Amino acid sequence: MAISAESFAYLSKMIYENSAIVVGAGKEYLVESRLRPLVAQNKFSSIEDYVRQLKATPFSTLHKEVIEAMTTNETSFFRDIHPFEAIKEHVLPEMIKSRASTRQLNIWSGACSSGQEPYSLAIMIREHFPMLSNWKINIIATDLSEDVLNIARKGCYRPLDINRGLPAALMVKYFEKQGVEWQVKREIRGMVDFRQMNLSGHWPSLPSMDIVLMRNVLIYFDQETKRGILGKIRRVLKPDGPLFLGSAETTFNLDDSFKRVVMGKAAAYRAST
Amino acid sequence: MRALIIDDSRAIRMILGKTLRGIGFEVFEAGNGCEALERLQEIGRADLALVDWNMPEMNGYDFVCSVRSKAEHADMRVMMVTTEAEITQMIKALEAGANEYIIKPFSKEAVVEKIQILGLIP
């Protein structure tokens, strides 16, 4: 089911114009593999047939499905463990002291996909910080895709997903079996507020954040959009709050008002004042 | 580092063996718990054992109980790799001394991540 150059160019432009996500040359294989299930699901005979329909109709659910398919990422619990260790060993112990008077923490998991990252944070807090049990902990988790947010809200994972990155001791403590699936217990689900949000579009009002995780998402955007997003993060992040990016991402040459701070094996960014 | 893969399925041993060799382990194999204890006797020690639950002669749970009763294998990390997916079974294995648990079917990435959790690879 190879894709023609013309169809690829159309999809690349359509995805960019509606999400600012760059799908450049060489990513034909990715478009093909992500669109194949949609072609079958919508009963088209080929990708070309699908693209013809997309071109012939104004922006609709069909177009949204393509964008969502391109932005759904692989994820696992405690993915790239180092930022979680940094939050556990450095960030939260400091914040427990500095926020002792307000007893409130706002944590933002951006591009949370099917929920593994915010649930990992909630589990870590519950497991290692019993002293926070009477604090107001808001974990706000956002994603572009309503489909993945619905999966995230249910918190049900197949064995293939539950195996990924989650220590067995936490699995038996914070999950319960629902048939063959594993569901995050209600007490943990209740700690996370899932919201739809397009990072490259208009931002809804967000509380002032103590910690922001925006990992492995900037890579999808062009330089200008990355700068715009980092600028907006700077405005919602408290001055001493860390921003965690993916291990291959940086603010360097994009927004030099962020300064890199090493925390154990992880690096975070703080807006310098 | 040495890993012992204990599973009565040759196919599973092959899949796990390939993954473990890919991250630098020297791999040994056994088809059940009894064979695994013999293999440990021959090679002296292993850093990691990946153990199926349901096997002929000696099952994985009995293997875990057996090695945990011996001081010489106290440092060996043990990970169950099994279709047994009930929480009560998982707790039983962890209480007997298994360090980690993977439910079949699994991906290669999950195996590597669990070995990272065990602290055997960075």
Side-chain angles (χ1 to χ4, degrees), chain A residues 74 76-77 159-160 162-169 171-172 175-177 179 182 265, chain B residues 85-87 90-91 94 99-107 109-110 113-114 117 122:
Chain A
E74 185 202 351
S76 63
F77 291 94
L160 267 175
I162 197 80
N163 278 328
R164 301 287 313 272
L166 187 66
M171 192 169 154
V172 297
F175 288 77
E176 49 203 0
K177 283 291 290 294
W182 292 74
K265 289 181 181 169
Chain B
E86 292 309 314
I87 289 180
M90 287 182 69
I91 293 172
L94 295 172
N99 304 96
E100 261 306 332
Y101 205 103
I102 286 189
I103 298 167
K104 292 175 181 172
F106 57 84
S107 62
E109 289 79 12
E113 285 163 1
K114 291 277 186 174
I117 290 172

Side-chain angles (χ1 to χ4, degrees), chain A residues 45 87 102 142 153 222 234 254:
Chain A
S45 61
I87 292 171
T102 56
T142 66
R153 285 185 190 106
D222 62 20
R234 202 161 12 87
L254 287 168

Side-chain angles (χ1 to χ4, degrees), chain A residues 29-40:
Chain A
Y29 72 93
L30 187 67
V31 173
E32 283 171 24
S33 66
R34 296 285 173 94
L35 259 52
R36 212 170 287 135
L38 292 181
V39 169

